[in-house]
């Protein structure tokens, strides 16, 4: 039964049978050849063997039953259509055998040209070509070379050496100087190489050549470079390749022949016009090999006006049909134009926006479709300053591109030095092994941050992304020596004051200054371009598409911002509120001393004094933020990290105390501090006394913050602005935790709000798996949920967020356990499921529950689509990712046809 089904399966499609929508089955090349054939364009006739045949072959090592017969039948049709038989000695049909997967994998798989040539048909080919012996023998030697290398794994250099040898004997370096006799001699040499390496003669039987070439193309799907490329590009490994068998046309038959590539618009800038290259008297592989210089496509008008005009006509037709930039390969054989390939062309990020805008103007697509044609990753690329790397800049190290952008500056090793030099107007790069909250001022002052340890969610990475600052983390080739103020990399030693340049997109580190260009798209978002008078085509297109995304999206976009300046910038970038204001930085700098007093307090009175001193400072911070966010909601999270993070490191303190004791100094205060640090030391601080736990253990701490937030809101409201505070409790795992905090908070709020009209919401982060699983209960006590997907990922997977990415994720990625770090893009099946459960159960318990996300995933394009699907109300991300999230939220909405998936 199964065998019968396989026999009946259709594995081979004539070009006239397929169409562009059959890419899964026919691969991109095959589907588009079929489409062009059906459009009536001159495609050399042929057929496509499906990806299913390939998969069946790869699974069993044998051609599936029925394939050989189907190939024979289609070949017979092809021979009839062409009026020639494959390898006929008198008048041979020759074919090319070309790979073509669903997704383009340029140069990764195999192609064999001129199949059907042998010792006898080479003579027939010469006759076909008007007695052009040279051409016929050149085609034959190319077949043996490609076939030998591709099908029989003969080392390619052997053929190259023989070719060089022939040229040397002739006293030339140019292939074209070899005449027919030279090439006939080369064919003999190639056959000997073939025999030596394979132990058999070069196959003379055309059908055997064809079958072996098809097999080789199937197998090339699993060639090492193809496997690596797929991993890199995240192309699934199980798609298989189709094989296209196409009748040969020749661009190397003389000056009235040639080959070229063409783009219907400039794939670099998107500008309208004709772009491409042409090479007379050559085959496609010569262009790739760069044997001779191509000429601009426009030259073809002079060389062969008829073909040129025809080509322009075909290009216009293809663009109108595909409604997109097309790239095309063509060959002219003695004045006759043949279309060998087309596809929707790859393009730069800038071109993607410009072209989408143009196509809307031209009425080819609507704005919804324009949203499909661009994506957040492209927009993000356009927002970073870029290096002008035209000169010979070689990277000295490569770390993780943790926060994109390009920055050059003098190397400094401490936060204090960064601040000092920046105050003098010097651009600095702060280099650390890793950063901690103490480095914040230095990070703010620096143009970029470079660390030798840590992954994409390390402190340096998260904070830098939050600031939109360039950061390369985990550059482990750097041996950083902070006390000596230097780092070594390879044979170089870089000391304080030396200039380095870092690329936060690629993770590359350069010595010396690489010139940087600002982004005109950021200037637009910053508001320095009048949307009514935009003279830059790219900015015009971005404006248009973003306006449509905003009109279409259902998800609101907020920002994670902890300062007035960040809030203001995010607002200009389109943020509709703050989704996460982390309050921990408000405990740093000169406030550290107050925190120490808080921790060391021996009596309630001492603790109350310390908190009272912190209160006005916090209030001032919140006033600034509420003012900037006038009229928009601001979610303020109560303090989350363990308090000992605000104390000096244990080792350093112990040494200081020991030294001071030795000197006989009074160290009572330091000793008390040291005792406190020892007392608070935790093996697993991430799972320790932080978040709500801290609030429940240190009396008055959360109360002080709640009071500061509410007083700030009332003050701002009295000044005529509108403050919309939302107080968020971190790390809740049980509703009782939230209820306890809430009861105390509500009392304070009621007392402070008075008749000011200020309304304060109280909600919680959902970042502990237990909270997600008991969301129904927690929703009873929460007016909103904000998913902390950083911790939810950490605790859902049991992955320490500070360590694992640098430590072993490379192996997980290599093994395909996941295709992308779950800290970067939401793990839909696991962590995503927790989000889904919590959203559903939370809403079931409290229908008006507001749902948002404020983990790093809030600005990740794919995750934004997921949050749209789950039905959240908003995503919150760092200011620089706000436009990306707006765009992706719009794209998610048009993908689901605006339907509410809630
Ligand atoms: C989170 O855990 O996702 C979150 C936003 O909180 P933080 O990153 O501050 O732990
Ligand atoms: Mg968290």
């Amino acid at each position: 039964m199964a065998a019968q089904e396989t026999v009946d399966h259709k594995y081979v499609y004539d070009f006239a049978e397929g169409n562009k929508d059959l890419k899964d089955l026919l691969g991109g090349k095959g589907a588009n050849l079929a489409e062009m054939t059906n459009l009536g364009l001159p495609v050399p006739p042929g057929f496509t063997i499906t990806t299913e045949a390939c998969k069946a072959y790869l699974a069993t090592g044998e051609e599936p039953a029925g394939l050989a017969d189907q190939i024979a039948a289609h070949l017979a049709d092809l021979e009839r259509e062409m009026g020639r038989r494959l390898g006929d000695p008198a008048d041979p049909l020759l074919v090319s055998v070309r790979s073509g997967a669903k997704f383009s994998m340029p140069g990764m798989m195999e192609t064999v040209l001129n199949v059907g040539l042998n010792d006898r048909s080479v003579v027939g080919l010469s006759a076909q070509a008007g007695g052009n012996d040279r051409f016929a023998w050149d085609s034959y030697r190319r077949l043996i070379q490609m076939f030998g290398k591709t099908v029989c794994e003969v080392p390619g250099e052997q053929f190259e050496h023989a070719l060089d040898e022939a040229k040397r004997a002739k006293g030339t370096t140019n292939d074209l100087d070899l005449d027919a006799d030279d090439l006939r001699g080369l064919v003999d040499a190639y056959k000997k190489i073939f025999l030596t390496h394979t132990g058999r003669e070069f196959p003379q039987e055309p059908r055997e050549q064809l079958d072996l070439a098809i097999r080789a193309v199937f197998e090339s799907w699993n060639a090492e470079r193809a496997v690596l490329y797929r991993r890199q590009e995240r192309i699934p490994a199980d798609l298989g390749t189709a094989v296209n068998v196409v009748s040969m046309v020749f661009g190397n038959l003389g000056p009235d022949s040639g080959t070229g590539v063409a783009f219907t618009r400039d794939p670099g800038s998107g500008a309208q016009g004709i772009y491409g290259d042409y090479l007379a008297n050559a085959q496609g592989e010569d262009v790739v090999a760069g044997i001779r210089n191509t000429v601009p496509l426009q030259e073809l008008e002079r060389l062969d006006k008829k073909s040129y005009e025809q080509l322009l006509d075909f290009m216009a037709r293809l663009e109108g049909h595909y409604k997109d930039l097309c790239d095309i390969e063509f060959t002219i054989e003695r004045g006759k134009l043949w279309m060998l390939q087309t596809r929707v062309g790859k393009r730069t990020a800038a071109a993607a926006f410009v072209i989408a805008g143009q196509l809307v103007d031209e009425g080819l697509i609507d704005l919804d479709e324009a949203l499909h044609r661009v994506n957040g990753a492209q927009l993000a690329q356009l927002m970073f300053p870029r290096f002008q790397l035209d000169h010979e800049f070689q990277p000295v190290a490569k770390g993780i591109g943790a926060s994109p952008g390009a920055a050059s500056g003098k190397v400094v090793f401490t936060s204090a030095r960064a601040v000092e030099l920046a105050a003098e107007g010097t651009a600095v790069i702060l280099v650390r092994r890793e950063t901690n909250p103490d480095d914040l001022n230095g990070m703010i002052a620096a143009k970029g941050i470079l660390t030798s340890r840590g992954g994409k969610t390390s402190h340096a990475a998260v904070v830098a992304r939050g600031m939109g600052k360039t950061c390369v983390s985990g550059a482990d080739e750097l041996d950083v020596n902070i006390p000596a103020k230097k780092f070594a990399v390879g044979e170089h030693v870089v000391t304080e004051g030396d200039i380095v340049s870092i690329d936060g997109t690629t993770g590359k580190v350069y010595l010396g200054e690489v010139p940087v260009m600002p982004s005109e798209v950021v200037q637009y978002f910053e508001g320095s371009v009048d949307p009514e008078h935009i003279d830059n085509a790219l900015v015009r297109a971005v404006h248009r598409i973003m306006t449509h995304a905003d009109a279409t999206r259902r998800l609101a976009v907020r920002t994670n911002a902890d300062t007035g300046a960040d809030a203001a910038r995010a607002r200009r970038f389109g943020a509709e509120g703050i989704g996460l204001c982390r309050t921990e930085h408000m405990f740093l700098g000169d406030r550290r001393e107050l925190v120490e007093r808080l921790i060391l307090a021996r009596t309630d009175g001492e603790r109350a004094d310390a908190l009272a001193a912190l209160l006005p400072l916090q209030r001032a911070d919140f006033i600034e933020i509420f003012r900037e966010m006038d009229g928009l909601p601001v979610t303020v999270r109560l303090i989350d990290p363990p308090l000992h993070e605000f104390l000096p490191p244990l080792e350093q303190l112990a040494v200081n105390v020991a030294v001071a004791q030795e000197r006989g100094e009074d160290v009572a205060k330091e000793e008390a501090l040291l005792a406190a640090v020892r007392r608070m030391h935790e093996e697993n601080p991430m799972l320790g006394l932080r978040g709500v736990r801290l609030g429940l253990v240190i009396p008055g701490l959360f109360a002080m913050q709640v009071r500061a937030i509410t007083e700030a809101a009332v003050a701002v409201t009295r000044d005529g602005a509108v403050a919309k505070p939302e107080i968020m409790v971190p790390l809740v795992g049980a509703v009782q935790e939230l209820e306890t905090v809430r009861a105390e908070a509500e009392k304070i709020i009621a007392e402070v709000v008075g008749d000011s009209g200020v309304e304060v919401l109280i909600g919680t982060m959902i970042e502990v798996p237990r909270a997600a699983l008991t969301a129904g209960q927690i929703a009873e006590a929460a007016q909103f949920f904000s998913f902390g997907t950083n911790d939810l990922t950490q605790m859902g997977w049991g992955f320490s967020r500070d360590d694992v990415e640098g430590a072993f994720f490379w192996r997980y990625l290599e093994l395909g356990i996941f295709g992308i770090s779950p800290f970067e893009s939401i793990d839909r099946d696991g962590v995503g499921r927790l989000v889904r459960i919590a959203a559903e159960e939370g809403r079931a318990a409290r229908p008006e529950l507001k749902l948002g996300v404020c983990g790093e995933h809030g600005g990740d394009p794919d995750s934004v689509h997921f949050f749209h699907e789950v039905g959240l109300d908003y995503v919150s991300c760092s200011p620089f990712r706000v436009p990306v999230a707006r765009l992706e939220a719009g794209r998610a909405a048009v993908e689901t046809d605006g339907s509410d998936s809630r």
Side-chain angles (χ1 to χ4, degrees):
M1 178 65 197
Q4 187 57 41
E5 269 173 18
T6 339
V7 170
D8 290 336
H9 206 93
K10 182 168 170 65
Y11 286 120
V12 185
Y13 285 70
D14 192 86
F15 288 165
E17 293 177 293
N19 67 59
K20 71 177 177 12
D21 299 321
L22 292 180
K23 288 199 181 70
D24 284 330
L25 194 63
L26 304 179
K29 188 186 297 234
N32 288 325
L33 283 171
E35 191 76 10
M36 285 203 289
T37 303
N38 293 327
L39 282 174
L41 301 192
V43 174
F47 53 86
T48 303
I49 302 164
T50 65
T51 53
E52 285 182 355
C54 172
K55 287 190 274 189
Y57 173 82
L58 292 177
T60 61
E62 279 174 33
E63 284 80 0
L67 178 60
D69 291 345
Q70 290 183 37
I71 292 174
H74 280 268
L75 184 59
D77 288 348
L78 181 62
E79 289 177 334
R80 238 186 326 276
E81 184 176 355
M82 299 298 288
R84 288 175 176 154
R85 274 189 311 109
L86 185 70
D88 183 339
D91 185 15
L93 167 68
L94 304 183
V95 294
S96 62
V97 179
R98 296 169 186 269
S99 58
K102 176 177 181 184
F103 301 106
S104 152
M105 296 171 51
M108 294 299 131
M109 291 182 298
E110 301 298 359
T111 289
V112 187
L113 303 180
N114 302 337
V115 167
L117 270 180
N118 56 24
D119 291 352
R120 295 191 308 145
S121 61
V122 66
V123 180
L125 181 65
S126 169
Q128 249 177 41
N132 189 339
D133 277 352
R134 184 192 182 284
F135 158 74
W137 286 100
D138 191 38
S139 301
Y140 192 19
R141 71 97 191 158
R142 285 175 195 250
L143 169 65
I144 303 169
Q145 183 167 357
M146 276 196 183
F147 191 95
K149 193 167 158 239
T150 304
V151 182
C152 302
E153 289 169 17
V154 180
E157 318 82 74
Q158 302 270 338
F159 296 116
E160 298 297 336
H161 286 157
L163 178 61
D164 288 345
E165 199 42 55
K167 285 191 277 191
R168 203 166 15 252
K170 188 84 181 179
T172 180
T173 54
N174 188 339
D175 293 12
L176 290 178
D177 290 337
L178 298 177
D179 62 23
D181 283 340
D182 301 324
L183 291 163
R184 194 194 313 253
L186 196 56
V187 163
D188 285 338
Y190 276 11
K191 283 201 218 157
K192 284 203 189 84
I193 294 171
F194 189 93
L195 177 63
T196 311
H197 281 272
T198 63
R200 60 166 293 189
E201 299 285 348
F202 177 74
Q204 294 290 313
E205 175 52 49
R207 178 66 204 261
E208 185 188 1
Q209 290 177 0
L210 178 63
D211 288 340
L212 290 174
I214 292 170
R215 236 172 214 236
V217 174
F218 283 160
E219 281 169 7
S220 69
W221 174 256
N222 281 334
E224 196 178 329
R225 61 182 179 198
V227 171
L228 283 176
Y229 182 83
R230 286 200 294 271
R231 199 172 290 150
Q232 180 91 11
E233 299 293 312
R234 301 212 202 112
I235 297 174
D238 57 357
L239 299 177
T241 180
V243 184
N244 300 290
V245 177
V246 193
S247 26
M248 286 294 301
V249 289
F250 293 97
N252 54 346
L253 277 176
D256 56 353
S257 301
T259 189
V261 294
F263 295 89
T264 55
R265 295 174 200 234
D266 182 346
S269 69
Q272 276 141 316
I274 306 291
Y275 293 82
D277 299 310
Y278 182 70
L279 190 57
N281 199 7
Q283 277 188 294
E285 49 173 346
D286 300 333
V287 180
V288 180
I291 291 168
R292 275 177 292 140
N293 285 340
T294 56
V295 296
L297 188 58
Q298 281 75 1
E299 279 285 298
L300 181 60
E301 183 171 17
R302 196 176 49 76
L303 297 170
D304 181 348
K305 195 166 173 29
K306 183 177 126 270
S307 295
Y308 181 69
E309 282 172 356
Q310 214 178 17
L311 179 66
L312 295 200
D313 174 43
F314 294 162
M315 285 165 74
R317 277 167 63 186
L318 283 173
E319 224 199 39
H321 183 70
Y322 282 87
K323 302 187 187 341
D324 207 346
L325 158 75
C326 293
D327 85 26
I328 290 157
E329 287 177 21
F330 65 93
T331 279
I332 298 172
E333 182 182 290
R334 291 214 202 102
K336 160 113 178 97
L337 174 65
W338 291 99
M339 304 293 276
L340 299 190
Q341 176 171 329
T342 191
R343 65 182 168 201
V344 168
K346 293 219 160 79
R347 65 205 71 187
T348 60
F353 276 87
V354 170
I355 291 172
Q358 286 165 359
L359 293 174
V360 172
D361 287 339
E362 292 164 23
L364 283 173
I365 61 173
D366 63 13
L367 277 164
D368 277 3
E369 180 59 27
L371 271 179
H372 280 299
R373 301 288 178 91
V374 295
N375 62 49
Q378 289 165 335
L379 182 63
Q381 261 183 41
L382 296 173
M383 290 180 62
F384 303 124
R386 295 189 306 276
F387 280 137
Q388 284 175 294
L389 274 173
D390 3 349
H391 336 299
E392 280 305 296
F393 285 106
Q394 288 305 321
V396 290
K398 189 167 180 309
I400 295 170
S403 178
S408 286
K410 286 191 175 169
V411 169
V412 292
F413 292 91
T414 62
S415 185
R417 188 70 182 140
V419 172
E420 221 170 271
L421 284 187
E424 294 166 10
T426 307
V428 297
I429 304 290
L430 177 63
V431 181
R432 307 282 296 167
R433 278 208 195 133
E434 60 209 339
T435 61
N436 62 43
D438 259 343
D439 294 316
L440 202 66
N441 288 335
M443 294 172 82
I444 293 169
K447 287 270 178 257
I449 297 134
L450 170 61
T451 69
S452 59
R453 292 174 52 178
K456 276 206 168 173
T457 47
S458 60
H459 178 267
V462 173
V463 174
R465 276 203 295 280
M467 298 177 186
K469 194 146 292 195
T470 303
C471 175
V472 172
S473 65
D476 54 12
E477 293 146 87
L478 265 55
D479 184 5
V480 179
N481 186 338
I482 303 283
K485 298 194 183 134
K486 62 180 185 186
F487 70 79
V489 55
E491 72 240 25
H492 309 280
V493 174
V494 176
T495 53
E496 186 176 278
D498 291 349
I499 293 186
V500 298
S501 300
I502 57 172
D503 186 327
T505 309
T506 61
K508 289 182 182 161
V509 180
Y510 303 85
L511 299 184
E513 180 164 354
V514 184
V516 173
M517 293 189 318
S519 152
E520 60 264 80
V521 172
V522 168
Q523 287 165 345
Y524 154 72
F525 285 129
E526 290 276 9
S528 59
V529 180
D530 173 4
E532 301 300 318
H533 303 99
I534 304 174
D535 55 9
N536 175 311
L538 169 61
V539 174
R540 204 165 41 239
V542 168
H543 172 65
R544 187 140 185 225
I545 292 171
M546 290 304 290
T547 307
H548 186 62
D550 286 341
T552 311
R553 65 191 160 88
R554 186 180 52 69
L555 275 175
V557 177
R558 297 197 192 178
T559 191
N560 295 359
D562 317 337
T563 63
D566 276 354
R569 179 160 55 191
R571 194 167 187 168
R572 288 197 297 276
F573 281 7
E576 296 156 303
I578 289 183
L580 174 63
C581 168
R582 291 181 169 99
T583 53
E584 28 284 12
H585 83 270
M586 301 169 182
F587 289 74
L588 290 169
D590 41 8
R591 303 169 185 191
R592 186 175 281 276
E593 193 244 331
L594 294 174
V595 179
E596 284 181 17
R597 272 172 51 195
L598 175 69
I599 295 172
L600 297 181
R602 275 163 309 187
T603 62
D604 290 351
E606 281 178 11
R607 189 181 310 109
D609 284 351
L611 289 169
L614 277 165
L615 175 75
L617 303 173
Q618 294 243 296
R619 187 172 51 222
D621 294 327
F622 296 132
I623 286 177
E624 191 184 318
I625 292 172
F626 288 140
R627 279 212 181 106
E628 293 295 353
M629 284 313 214
D630 182 7
L632 299 178
V634 175
T635 308
V636 182
R637 184 179 71 186
L638 303 180
I639 186 166
D640 181 18
L643 279 187
H644 68 71
E645 278 200 8
F646 304 97
L647 298 179
L650 180 68
E651 297 80 7
Q652 190 191 324
L653 201 57
V655 171
N656 291 354
V657 169
V659 170
Q661 277 169 338
E662 193 67 23
R663 290 198 195 120
E665 294 168 11
D666 174 14
V667 287
K669 189 161 168 264
E670 284 75 11
E671 276 175 347
L673 195 57
L674 181 59
V677 171
R678 288 219 166 98
R679 199 171 56 241
M680 301 182 82
H681 175 78
E682 292 175 318
E683 289 300 331
N684 273 316
M686 274 295 190
L687 302 177
L689 182 59
R690 51 176 285 221
V692 67
R693 305 161 193 176
L694 202 56
L696 297 177
V697 168
I698 310 251
L701 177 59
F702 275 10
M704 178 278 290
Q705 290 199 293
V706 169
R707 184 174 293 279
I709 295 164
T710 316
E711 286 180 358
V714 170
V716 167
T717 307
R718 296 240 148 89
D719 286 349
V722 177
K724 296 188 163 180
E726 302 177 343
I727 293 179
M728 179 154 75
V729 185
L731 223 73
V732 164
V735 67
Q736 294 83 352
E737 291 171 315
L738 183 60
E739 280 167 352
T740 312
V741 173
R742 187 175 162 174
E744 186 185 20
E746 275 176 345
K747 273 195 222 127
I748 298 166
I749 292 168
E751 176 194 318
V752 176
V753 158
D755 60 358
S756 64
V758 169
E759 197 194 343
V760 185
L761 302 188
I762 299 182
T764 181
M765 307 246 343
I766 300 288
E767 54 183 346
V768 175
R770 190 182 188 282
L773 298 174
T774 58
Q777 295 167 17
I778 292 179
E780 302 286 348
Q783 289 170 290
F784 63 89
F785 283 174
S786 178
F787 290 96
T789 46
N790 303 334
D791 272 308
L792 206 53
T793 302
Q794 167 166 265
M795 294 184 223
W797 279 89
F799 282 154
S800 158
R801 36 197 281 210
D802 291 334
D803 302 315
V804 289
E805 283 181 292
F808 63 82
F809 268 23
W810 59 271
R811 181 68 179 142
Y812 272 48
L813 292 165
E814 195 177 80
L815 289 170
I817 292 172
F818 38 64
I820 182 168
S821 160
F823 285 109
E824 219 176 305
S825 195
I826 192 89
D827 149 39
R828 289 176 177 239
D829 299 341
V831 178
R833 177 131 192 269
L834 289 169
V835 172
R836 202 183 278 277
I837 290 170
E840 281 168 13
E841 297 189 3
R843 278 234 170 89
R846 184 191 280 259
E848 76 283 8
L849 184 73
K850 221 184 324 180
L851 297 175
V853 55
C854 62
E856 284 295 296
H857 303 86
D860 166 66
D862 191 50
S863 310
V864 170
H865 287 242
F866 175 75
F867 298 131
H868 170 90
E869 276 165 46
V870 174
L872 301 195
D873 296 303
Y874 67 87
V875 294
S876 186
C877 54
S878 54
F880 269 84
R881 299 223 274 178
V882 165
V884 172
R886 283 165 54 202
L887 179 68
E888 288 295 350
R891 296 185 69 230
V894 295
E895 259 162 36
T896 47
D897 289 320
S899 67
D900 194 329
S901 56
R902 226 183 272 167

